[in-house]
Amino acid sequence: ECISVEAKRPRNIGHHRKFFGLLTLVFNNQEIYPSLEVLLYELKLGIGHSMKYKVDGETREYALSMDFFRMDQVEFEGFYNRAIDWLLAKVIPGTERESLETEVLEMAR
């Protein structure tokens, strides 16, 4: 008899909320993206959380889901760190990572 086991660290709901707090904070302090949804979509593309495919020889890209139950905590931690790097570089350049993270934590209190 063959048995297969998959070990996953369940997603931390607090970290998930922290991400959306971060995203909301950045969105409210920028003038590039017209909505939070557009910012999230562009962030996913920007960090490579996407799938590329071809239609009629043309390469297209689609942002992947960050569904709570499909992405475990280890994957989400990588996603979160890449997201912060992208936001700091592309949306709010000149902002220090430490001050951004401190402000996000302050919001959560």
Side-chain angles (χ1 to χ4, degrees):
E1 184 176 336
C2 182
I3 297 174
S4 176
V5 176
E6 182 179 350
K8 283 189 166 193
R9 257 178 71 199
R11 185 95 152 260
N12 178 333
I13 187 70
H15 199 192
H16 183 82
R17 289 181 181 136
K18 182 180 171 185
F19 171 74
F20 279 100
L22 164 72
L23 201 62
T24 300
L25 175 65
V26 170
F27 175 73
N28 290 334
N29 289 282
Q30 59 82 45
E31 297 179 355
I32 302 167
Y33 299 98
S35 70
L36 193 62
E37 292 79 14
V38 171
L39 173 58
L40 177 58
Y41 190 84
E42 290 295 323
L43 180 148
K44 290 176 183 179
L45 294 179
I47 67 172
H49 190 71
S50 59
M51 176 182 73
K52 292 183 180 178
Y53 59 98
K54 290 193 180 229
V55 174
D56 296 328
E58 179 183 331
T59 300
R60 298 185 185 179
E61 189 171 13
Y62 178 77
L64 296 174
S65 170
M66 49 180 279
D67 182 77
F68 193 83
F69 297 104
R70 290 189 188 178
M71 186 186 291
D72 70 10
Q73 184 58 30
V74 173
E75 291 172 291
F76 187 71
E77 285 171 5
F79 176 91
Y80 183 85
N81 287 322
R82 290 189 314 275
I84 288 181
D85 291 342
W86 185 85
L87 290 166
L88 291 170
K90 302 292 184 181
V91 184
I92 51 170
T95 304
E96 293 183 18
R97 184 183 188 110
E98 186 177 315
S99 64
L100 178 61
E101 290 190 18
T102 298
E103 196 163 342
V104 170
L105 290 175
E106 293 288 325
M107 285 176 46
R109 290 183 188 188

